[in-house]
Amino acid sequence: MICKDYLPAQMGTMSLDQIDPVAAGSVQSLTFVYTAGDFGIDDTGGLRVCWRTTSDMGKPQFSDPEALNYTTIEASNGAKLEYSVDRSGVRPWANSLTVRVGRGFLRKGETITIRMGDRRAGSPGIRLQTAVEHFQFKTLVDAFATNQYTELPLSPHIRLVPGEAVRWRASLPSQNILGESFRLCIAAEDIWGNPTAQGAQPIRLNASARVAGLPEDALPIGECGTLVVDGLKALKPGDLRIDVQTAGDERVLCTSTPARIVESAAFGHFWGDLHGQSGETIGTNPVRGYFLFGRDKAFLDVIGHQGNDFQITDGFWAELNALTAELYEPGRFVTFPGYEWSGNTGMGGDRNVFYRREGRPIHRSSRILVDDAADADCYTAGALFDTLAQAREDAVVIAHVGGRYADLGVAHDGRLERAVEIHSSWGTFEWLLHDAFDLGHRPGIVCHSDDHKGRQGATQPGASTFGAIGGLTCYLATELTRDGVFDALRARRQYGTTGTRLYMNVNGTFDAPVTIYADDPLLGATESRRDTRVLMGAVVAPNRTGLSLDVDVSGSAPIERIDIFHGKEVAETFRPYTAADLGRRIRVMWSGAEYRGRGRETSWTGKARLSGNRIEQVKPINFLNPQQPLSWSDGENIVSWKSVTTGNMAGFDVLVEDKAVGHLAIETNLASLDVDLASLGSDERVIEAGGLARRLRAWRLPEKGSAMSMRIRHRVEGRDLQADLPVYVRVTQEDGHQAWSSPIYLIP
């Protein structure tokens, strides 16, 4: 599609009957009327209605009048119309409803009527986008049948607002020094994850330990759907959680994330989401709202913006730099200027570039959607690293997996590229870390959202093929400043999660003093010291000295397991229960992706049938799309589902009447597994399902998870190392959330 700016005022008008705000994700019927302008539309000309690439609005369909998203289109003069929906629009308006006048033509004043969600034959309507936005239907006209479209001066839009509150989230700082004040941050959300005050009743707070300043009276939720209770002080060390309860019947709406109260600490725990895009590139909503959502509704400590470089104009780059400078507030809110180097995978793939200060250049991978004059472009990842290094830029680069994935074998510079992003809204990608190990790199681990919905720091997948909650990273920094966070990133002193805020502390203690490097010695001369204690991210030459790894975790939900990795392999697994604790709860999970590239999402259609026993209860795990719930009815012995994974996992727990008898037959479109319950324990039954780490698993759990905290010790015996031994931790909670520590690198 070629877009022209030719006499737009004479190309006609498009109107929309819906003028009142409607709930995001709701099902509506929308009637558009295009009125032809001075030129009409010639035979084989037409019009296009486009919406954003990343929108999850239902796809209009034309074949089933009684089904969701049914759409009809007709011309007032009876002209024959041909129409289709595809993704052929110009980024970021890729979704396109194209209407072609196949036989006949339109004169000035004649109309084309489009009914999205036409209810006249029984359709419930069309499901609108699930993220809040002033949603635009960009309209373009090909009046002369040249396949060159002119955008109308005014395109219809609809105001999408939050729906009713159905769930709550509350967060505490993951670590707090005894005697220092802290805050509790609360948000009510609608079914799609939009903060909302609609139907949000007053709440009360109930702490697990004494807290000075905790209000005793009922508290109203603010009109934005959030509430911040400040000036709190813990009165003793330990783990603190606060229940958010209804003011009337004291029903628990949610429990806060844990706070570890300590008497002293060298590093604070600060939560960040550095990776996402706003509406100026391919995302949703303006960039100022992007930053303010992260600060005021997701309650982030650290934030960055990563627009695709080939969509960032010089003007927008200047605006971004001005905005990060304006909103940077040391000690409260840290912003970083940056951009996403978005080269094709064959040229190196996606890299996030962050500067410590504003006013630095943007080196684009291309200018395919930018008209500014070329200056300092870098067409390959290698050229990007060389340019940043030669200019001695104070920058950090992170490799990630988005539409494109970072091919670490094409280019890498450890002086700049300090981490790999192994989870985002696009899925979970431990394979990217393992790629780095295979190549001899020594990165830290981060997880961010790569959010495109304007909800940085608290993103949900909605109804799209994004199959995961956006990730978060906890930076262990000396202070909440740019210098503090940059130093943490460069030292690999952080852990990442799939979006939850659990507390993790990983310490290594060697049997005798070892050589601990200030930086990776592969990168050049660096200082070293002799000591016995290290944190995550350290690079150590142990010289046959044994290591005791101490892991301290306080979860946001019961902990299911802790895995200790030696490189790519699990060396030891810790569970908070013994075989004697196993009960009537059976867990079934599926995971993995199609392949590494853009079409990695895997659709799972499955059914589990229990024979010789009875299902008493079913609990879904990571069923994140409300339109595709797990299917089970009380009294039935069959569970069925449709699910999407993109490297992450989903599944369910079944509680059976008798733990010792029966068979669970699990059938999916990709793999099947038959489980004899009498012999099933905590060891997983696994069937590989092809693709990229796709597998179907089943195992037994205790009937109730109660271990919110775990402290474990793993032993790494001294040995002669011939290659790097990266040692890191993966925590898995019962609710499906995971977390990863940055590795400690034991080197020859």
Side-chain angles (χ1 to χ4, degrees), residues 1 9-10 37 59 118 141 145 183 195 215 364 395 401 410 418 430-431 518 537 583 592 599 669 734:
M1 179 178 71
Q10 295 175 251
K59 182 180 179 180
D118 190 342
V141 178
R183 63 179 186 165
R364 297 178 179 88
V401 179
V410 170
R418 310 298 284 201
E430 285 181 276
W431 54 261
N669 55 316
E734 288 197 2

Side-chain angles (χ1 to χ4, degrees), residues 24 52-57 127 129-134 192-195 273 275-279 281-286 289-290 293 425-426 449-470 624:
R52 284 187 175 270
T53 306
T54 56
S55 173
D56 61 359
M57 186 181 80
R127 183 192 40 73
Q129 174 179 287
T130 63
V132 168
E133 185 188 17
H134 276 80
W192 300 105
N194 300 297
D273 185 358
H275 182 191
Q277 303 200 49
S278 59
T281 52
I282 199 172
T284 300
N285 291 306
Y290 168 103
F293 185 100
S425 297
W426 292 89
S449 71
D450 198 358
D451 180 47
H452 296 359
K453 298 182 175 67
R455 300 185 300 211
Q456 198 68 4
T459 185
Q460 295 282 331
S464 68
T465 55
F466 283 77
I469 296 171
L624 305 173

